[in-house]
């Protein structure tokens, strides 16, 4: 039997070498290690090249130019694997030496297409054991492990209908099962749950009752958690879980499962799956006021489906006491106000999620209240009903302008006002949102660093206790991840739309764009280094250099032109739409963490961004932004990436983390991104 390991990779450089070493030193060496690289922007490729040279013919490398996400990446690997047995592998774990031998041997002895899974040891980032296994963490007590170890296929399937015990990094299956497994359903992060349910329905799971993986928990895992939850943590996790259920995730998953295995399984199994889907559907409709929940809960309780397909009384109590009522946008059909009075880059990253709001509310009147800088573009790129421009600086300084704008909002009679901006500003965002006089209001809670004055703390306390205000607690994710969280909190299940808008592309010869601005001098890479990089890039590529930016960037542009006279300065002469067209038609973009770099990602243009400690919220992108072409990021080695630009108070010179980035490091990233010599 030929064995293929499918390793899904995405910026896994800190752990990749240790994982690859554990795969190549197995007691039964695999026949193929297929690495599917989901557009990594770190040094992973160089690490893989060393192993390719050390083990010729063993490693096969495939790269996705556009990120597919974890589900899409694994699906591609499964489709391309050449082995008779396929074992799935994460980038950040370590395999025990006997794992391939035991899992492949189990599949070999099954005598028919089968699946196999094992347990794993939970460790911290340094592989220090926590003393618990993955199954113990998930609450699979000894009597449940007995079912996994020696139960009949029917008993094991019933256990899977309640909750899938195996994780992707611990499973493998016969390649003949690809036809029924692929393609994966278009649901976020479900590949291992999907494989678990399909193989349980087919009755072909085998369990190796040994921990064969060191399951590393480092805080950035795509899935899984090695933390022992407190009571408050369990409460939050339970509320998150039933929120996902309310979005219909399980219902859609089981509907696709029934369609996929029909004709392959007995009628009794299909009947059980239909009953399981009906239970998920009933629970997904329980986000209603408390009194209206009681009847559906009692019906599910009397039918015993809480016990057959869930966790019994625990789920009953969740549905009765943890649900919050209907999502905000489902409360009525009145007009909706969306507030985004922030900068251009923020708008570009929010654009795909704004489209999801439109798809979720196809018949409601939506008004976008946004920054006057980018609102003309928004009017062309978004299918909203009304657009109201705000000039933030003028709003804060001019009383008459503020009064005029707030008065104009009253005529819309908003039923819902939503502010999805993380960095809420009490004198701007909250003042405008209060002027909307909406019956319901949703916004993020203030960040800890925003509570710098007792008045802000007082405002947040008051808003927290107003019955028509809902403040969502922000997580620790990136900008795109938190946008997705905000949609989920609103009850919106639609996926973001990352398609690039149509813009007028200039009829220029081949050119590349340089963006020296970053909104603040402290975030800018020094102009003289941009100038040297511009000279080298134009020399290597032969492309014309166009410098773009705002009027504030004119001085930096002049410094660059003085070193690279062939560069063309267009700072302060382009609108946002013209800048978008300029970026869309470029061969390459170089800049700081700025709007132009995010535009390059939206239009799938190769780019390199020089970033510092305050950029971790925006760059590098998280997997949630899987529809964008991520910029290749360059930063100083010592940078903490979480200082939020607080390493100094001086605003007239670049921060130390930006100033420490040499031209050589940026040029190395440019060469790698563009495959230049």
């Amino acid at each position: 039997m030929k064995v293929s390991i499918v390793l899904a990779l995405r910026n896994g450089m800190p752990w990749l070498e240790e994982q690859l070493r554990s795969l190549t030193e197995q007691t039964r060496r695999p026949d193929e290690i297929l690495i599917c690289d989901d557009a990594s922007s770190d040094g992973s490729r160089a690490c893989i090249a060393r192993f390719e040279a050390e083990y010729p013919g063993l490693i096969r490398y495939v790269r996705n130019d556009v990120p597919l996400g974890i589900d899409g990446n694994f699906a591609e690997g499964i489709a391309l694997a050449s082995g008779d047995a396929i074992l799935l592998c994460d980038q950040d774990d370590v395999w025990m030496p006997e794992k391939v031998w035991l899992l492949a041997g189990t599949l070999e002895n099954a005598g028919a297409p089968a699946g196999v899974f094992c347990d794993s040891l939970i460790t911290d980032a340094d592989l220090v054991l926590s003393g618990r296994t993955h199954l113990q963490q998930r609450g699979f007590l000894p009597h449940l492990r007995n079912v996994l170890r020696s139960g009949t296929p029917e008993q094991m399937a019933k256990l899977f209908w309640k909750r899938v015990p195996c994780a992707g990094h611990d499973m493998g299956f016969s390649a003949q099962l690809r036809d029924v497994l692929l393609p994966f359903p278009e649901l976020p992060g479900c590949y291992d749950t999907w494989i678990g349910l399909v193989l349980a329905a087919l009755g072909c799971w085998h369990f190796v009752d040994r921990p064969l993986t060191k399951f590393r928990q480092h805080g950035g895992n795509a899935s899984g958690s090695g933390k022992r939850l407190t009571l408050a943590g369990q409460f939050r996790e339970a509320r998150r879980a039933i929120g996902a259920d309310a979005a219909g995730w399980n219902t859609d998953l089981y509907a696709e499962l029934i369609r996929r295995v029909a004709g392959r399984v007995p009628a009794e199994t299909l009947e059980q799956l239909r009953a399981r889907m009906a239970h998920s559907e009933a629970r997904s409709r329980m986000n209603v006021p408390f009194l209206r929940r009681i009847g559906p809960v009692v019906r599910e309780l009397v039918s015993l489906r809480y016990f057959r397909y869930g966790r019994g009384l625990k789920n009953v109590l969740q549905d009765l006491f943890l649900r919050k009522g209907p999502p905000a946008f489902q409360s009525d059909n009145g007009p909706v106000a969306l507030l985004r009075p922030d900068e251009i880059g923020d708008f570009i990253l929010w654009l795909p999620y704004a489209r999801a709001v439109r798809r979720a509310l196809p018949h409601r009147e939506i008004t976008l209240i946004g920054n006057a800088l980018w609102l003309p573009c928004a009017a062309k790129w978004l299918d909203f009903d009304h657009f109201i421009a705000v000039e933030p600086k003028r709003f804060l300084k001019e009383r008459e302008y503020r009064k005029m704008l707030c008065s104009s909002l009253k005529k819309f009679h908003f039923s819902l006002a939503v502010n999805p901006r993380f960095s809420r500003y009490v004198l701007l965002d909250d003042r405008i949102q209060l002027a909307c006089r909406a019956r319901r209001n949703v916004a993020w809670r203030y960040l800890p660093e925003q509570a710098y004055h007792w008045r802000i703390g007082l405002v947040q306390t008051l808003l927290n206790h107003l019955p028509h205000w809902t403040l969502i607690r922000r997580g620790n994710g990136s900008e795109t991840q938190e946008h997705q969280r905000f949609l989920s909190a609103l009850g919106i299940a639609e996926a973001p739309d990352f398609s690039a808008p149509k813009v007028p592309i200039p009829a220029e010869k081949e050119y590349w764009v340089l963006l020296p601005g970053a909104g603040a001098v402290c975030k800018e890479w020094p102009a003289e280094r941009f100038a040297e990089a511009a000279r080298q890039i134009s020399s290597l590529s032969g492309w014309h250099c166009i410098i773009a930016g705002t009027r504030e960037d004119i001085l930096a542009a002049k410094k660059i032109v003085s070193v690279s006279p062939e560069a063309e300065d267009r700072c302060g002469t382009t609108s946002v739409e013209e800048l978008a067209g300029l970026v869309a038609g470029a061969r390459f973009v170089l800049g700081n963490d700025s709007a132009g770099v995010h535009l390059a990602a939206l239009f799938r243009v190769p780019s390199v961004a020089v970033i510092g400690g305050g950029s971790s919220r925006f760059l590098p992108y998280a997997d949630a932004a899987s529809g964008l072409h991520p910029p290749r990021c360059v930063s100083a080695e010592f940078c903490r990436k979480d200082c939020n630009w607080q390493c100094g108070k001086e605003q007239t010179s670049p921060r130390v983390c930006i100033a420490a980035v040499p031209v050589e490091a940026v040029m190395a990233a440019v060469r790698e991104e563009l495959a230049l010599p």
Side-chain angles (χ1 to χ4, degrees):
M1 173 183 282
K2 184 178 178 181
V3 179
S4 291
I5 295 176
V6 174
L7 189 157
L9 174 66
R10 168 73 175 175
N11 293 330
M13 185 58 192
W15 319 282
L16 183 60
E17 182 166 356
E18 200 166 10
Q19 174 67 301
L20 286 176
R21 188 64 61 191
S22 75
L23 300 183
T24 55
E25 294 180 352
Q26 291 286 304
T27 54
R28 174 177 176 173
R29 184 177 291 176
D31 300 278
E32 174 186 57
I33 300 175
L34 175 58
I35 301 175
C36 292
D37 185 351
D38 207 25
S40 293
S41 57
D42 58 2
S44 302
R45 184 67 185 103
C47 175
I48 295 167
R50 293 197 300 272
F51 277 87
E52 286 175 325
E54 187 175 350
Y55 299 94
L58 176 62
I59 294 176
R60 184 175 160 207
Y61 176 79
V62 177
R63 177 180 169 84
N64 307 321
D65 292 329
V66 177
L68 303 177
I70 187 169
D71 286 5
N73 203 22
F74 267 120
E76 180 184 47
I78 292 169
L80 295 175
S82 61
D84 305 303
I86 299 172
L87 307 182
L88 304 185
C89 178
D90 286 348
Q91 64 189 13
D92 44 9
D93 301 329
V94 171
W95 284 22
M96 305 298 189
E98 66 275 17
K99 181 172 179 176
V100 173
W101 173 61
L102 287 172
L103 297 191
T106 301
L107 293 176
E108 216 165 12
N109 296 332
V116 62
F117 67 97
C118 61
D119 202 354
S120 55
L121 297 171
I122 295 177
T123 77
D124 65 9
D126 299 318
L127 295 181
V128 176
L129 299 178
S130 68
R132 288 168 289 125
T133 71
H134 183 252
L135 285 175
Q136 288 172 343
Q137 177 71 23
R138 300 202 63 201
F140 282 83
L141 301 175
H143 71 283
L144 297 178
R145 294 179 75 104
N146 287 336
V147 174
L148 296 175
R149 185 170 49 246
S150 55
T152 65
E154 291 77 17
Q155 290 173 326
M156 188 177 286
K158 289 179 180 178
L159 185 56
F160 272 74
W161 304 158
K162 294 184 178 183
R163 49 190 168 137
V164 174
C166 49
H169 62 268
D170 279 332
M171 61 173 58
F173 48 85
S174 303
Q176 296 99 309
L177 294 169
R178 274 187 292 219
D179 291 343
V180 65
L181 289 173
L182 298 179
F184 292 151
E186 294 184 2
L187 295 167
C190 78
Y191 83 96
D192 46 3
T193 299
W194 170 252
I195 295 172
L197 292 174
V198 170
L199 270 60
L202 297 175
C204 57
W205 272 124
H206 298 269
F207 176 51
V208 176
D209 194 7
R210 287 179 60 177
L212 298 175
T213 310
K214 290 183 179 179
F215 184 20
R216 191 195 306 259
Q217 298 295 300
H218 47 76
N221 304 70
S223 63
S225 172
K227 295 182 180 179
R228 195 185 297 273
L229 294 178
T230 62
L231 185 61
Q234 292 180 43
F235 181 91
R236 288 193 298 270
E237 178 64 18
R239 174 158 281 181
R240 183 205 62 78
I242 62 175
D245 205 26
W249 190 92
N250 274 329
T251 305
D252 294 341
L253 188 68
Y254 276 93
E256 177 61 20
L257 177 61
I258 292 168
R259 190 191 69 79
R260 198 75 66 90
V261 302
R264 299 173 183 258
V265 299
E268 182 183 353
T269 301
L270 283 178
E271 193 60 35
Q272 290 178 354
L273 289 173
R274 291 190 184 99
R276 175 65 179 86
M277 183 179 73
H279 178 61
S280 291
E281 191 171 7
R283 294 192 70 198
S284 73
R285 292 196 299 263
M286 290 183 187
N287 272 12
V288 294
F290 177 77
L291 293 178
R292 290 171 57 191
R293 278 180 243 160
I294 296 175
V297 168
V298 170
R299 283 194 293 272
E300 291 300 302
L301 186 60
V302 171
S303 70
L304 300 181
R305 293 198 295 206
Y306 273 117
F307 300 93
R308 290 177 185 146
Y309 308 119
R311 306 189 70 175
L313 291 176
K314 183 175 183 178
N315 288 155
V316 174
L317 294 175
Q318 287 175 349
D319 287 342
L320 280 177
F321 301 112
L322 293 188
R323 294 190 182 271
K324 298 179 65 175
F329 75 91
Q330 292 180 357
S331 57
D332 57 44
N333 292 315
V336 178
L338 287 179
L339 283 71
R340 289 297 313 207
D342 42 8
E343 302 303 319
I344 301 170
D346 304 89
F347 165 67
I348 298 301
L349 286 181
W350 178 68
L351 177 64
Y353 304 88
R355 292 168 174 160
V357 173
R358 175 76 281 178
R359 293 200 310 275
L361 309 174
H363 306 300
R364 292 187 68 172
E365 184 180 299
I366 301 179
T367 299
L368 177 60
I369 306 169
N371 194 310
L373 282 173
W374 50 257
L375 202 71
C377 284
K380 295 180 180 180
W381 298 351
L382 290 171
D383 184 25
F384 291 161
D385 300 280
H386 307 286
F387 297 87
I388 299 177
V390 176
E391 298 177 49
K393 292 181 180 178
R394 189 178 174 193
F395 185 92
L396 295 174
K397 292 180 179 179
E398 298 182 18
R399 184 173 179 274
E400 287 302 316
Y401 174 77
R402 185 163 58 246
K403 183 178 178 181
M404 178 271 295
L405 181 67
C406 292
S407 297
S408 68
L409 296 175
K410 298 177 185 177
K411 66 179 182 182
F412 290 94
H413 304 289
F414 295 115
S415 66
L416 173 66
V418 179
N419 181 4
R421 179 158 86 141
F422 301 160
S423 308
R424 288 172 56 219
Y425 186 34
V426 62
L427 296 180
L428 179 63
D429 300 71
D430 284 353
R431 182 67 185 87
I432 296 173
Q433 191 161 2
L434 287 168
C436 289
R437 297 190 177 183
R439 292 192 292 273
R440 293 195 67 176
N441 293 270
V442 183
W444 288 107
R445 288 181 184 271
Y446 288 95
L447 299 176
E449 59 266 24
Q450 289 177 273
Y452 56 83
H453 195 281
W454 66 269
R455 290 192 184 94
I456 292 181
L458 178 61
V459 169
Q460 173 160 309
T461 302
L462 291 173
L463 294 181
N464 262 335
H465 290 84
L466 290 175
H468 60 294
W469 274 77
T470 301
L471 296 182
I472 300 169
R473 189 180 299 277
R474 184 182 185 273
N476 294 318
S478 67
E479 190 89 355
T480 50
Q481 287 174 319
E482 295 305 304
H483 284 327
Q484 190 63 57
R485 281 190 69 241
F486 197 84
L487 290 184
S488 299
L490 288 174
I492 295 176
E494 277 73 7
D497 178 2
F498 290 100
S499 60
K502 293 182 179 180
V503 293
I505 296 177
E508 305 270 354
K509 57 186 178 181
E510 287 191 319
Y511 65 91
W512 67 280
V513 174
L514 190 152
L515 304 158
V521 176
C522 66
K523 302 178 183 181
E524 294 176 0
W525 199 41
E528 56 273 13
R529 297 189 196 175
F530 267 127
E532 176 58 25
R535 187 188 63 77
Q536 293 188 36
I537 294 170
S538 294
S539 175
L540 286 170
S541 65
W543 303 330
H544 178 54
C545 174
I546 296 178
I547 307 171
T550 64
R551 290 185 179 88
E552 287 76 13
D553 305 324
I554 291 176
L555 182 59
K558 287 182 178 179
K559 291 181 181 179
I560 296 169
V561 171
S562 67
V563 176
S564 301
E566 69 281 0
E568 180 183 351
D569 179 10
R570 295 192 188 177
C571 287
T573 64
T574 57
S575 66
V576 175
E577 186 178 21
E578 290 169 339
L579 175 63
L582 192 65
V583 169
R587 296 295 302 272
F588 170 69
V589 171
L590 171 65
N592 298 288
D593 175 11
S594 63
V597 171
H598 300 305
L599 280 169
L602 184 64
F603 289 104
R604 282 77 168 173
V605 175
S607 62
V608 168
V610 185
I611 65 173
S615 299
S616 57
R617 182 176 129 193
F618 296 93
L619 289 172
Y621 290 162
D623 286 337
S626 57
L628 302 174
H629 183 87
R632 193 176 295 271
C633 298
V634 184
S635 60
E637 293 293 331
F638 64 85
C639 189
R640 282 173 38 219
K641 303 266 191 309
D642 61 354
C643 68
N644 197 34
W645 304 106
Q646 299 304 309
C647 54
K649 299 300 182 184
E650 178 61 47
Q651 297 293 320
T652 58
S653 60
R655 289 283 185 264
V656 64
C657 54
I658 291 288
V661 177
V663 175
E664 292 76 17
V666 172
M667 287 307 303
V670 171
R671 288 189 179 94
E672 189 172 354
E673 182 71 13
L674 297 177
L676 293 173

